[in-house]
Amino acid sequence: VTAGDVKVKALTFIANTRHAAYAGDLDFDNTARLIACCRGAKGHNAEYLLNTVRHLEALGMRDARMHKLYLRVRQLQAVQV
């Protein structure tokens, strides 16, 4: 990816909204539950969410809904321990 005059490596994920396992229509709590307990080929979903929140905040962007989702995931993980 080119950002201004700099080329940087980037990783992105895309979703097939027609796939049977697509979960884009889940409500907030069910989304948080899935993120709290599931993992993919690249790692645990909660870790991916945390990294996304941190990187956005480092760039000066705070996504309130994503931050709220992260806090809910942390609550659910604390209960699972």
Side-chain angles (χ1 to χ4, degrees):
V1 173
T2 303
D5 295 334
V6 179
K7 287 187 177 183
V8 295
K9 286 185 177 184
L11 174 66
T12 187
F13 296 92
I14 59 171
N16 179 352
T17 58
R18 295 181 182 160
H19 191 280
Y22 177 69
D25 294 329
L26 291 177
D27 63 32
F28 184 83
D29 280 329
N30 283 323
T31 299
R33 283 186 190 94
L34 280 178
I35 292 171
C37 70
C38 295
R39 65 180 300 116
K42 297 290 183 186
H44 197 284
N45 294 347
E47 188 176 317
Y48 175 74
L49 176 61
L50 171 61
N51 287 334
T52 302
V53 168
R54 284 183 176 165
H55 282 98
L56 287 173
E57 289 180 352
L59 294 169
M61 297 180 278
R62 189 169 196 277
D63 185 310
R65 183 169 169 81
M66 193 174 291
H67 193 80
K68 181 180 174 183
L69 183 61
Y70 167 70
L71 294 175
R72 180 67 179 131
V73 167
R74 291 290 304 237
Q75 287 175 338
L76 291 169
Q77 289 178 318
V79 172
Q80 292 175 0
V81 175

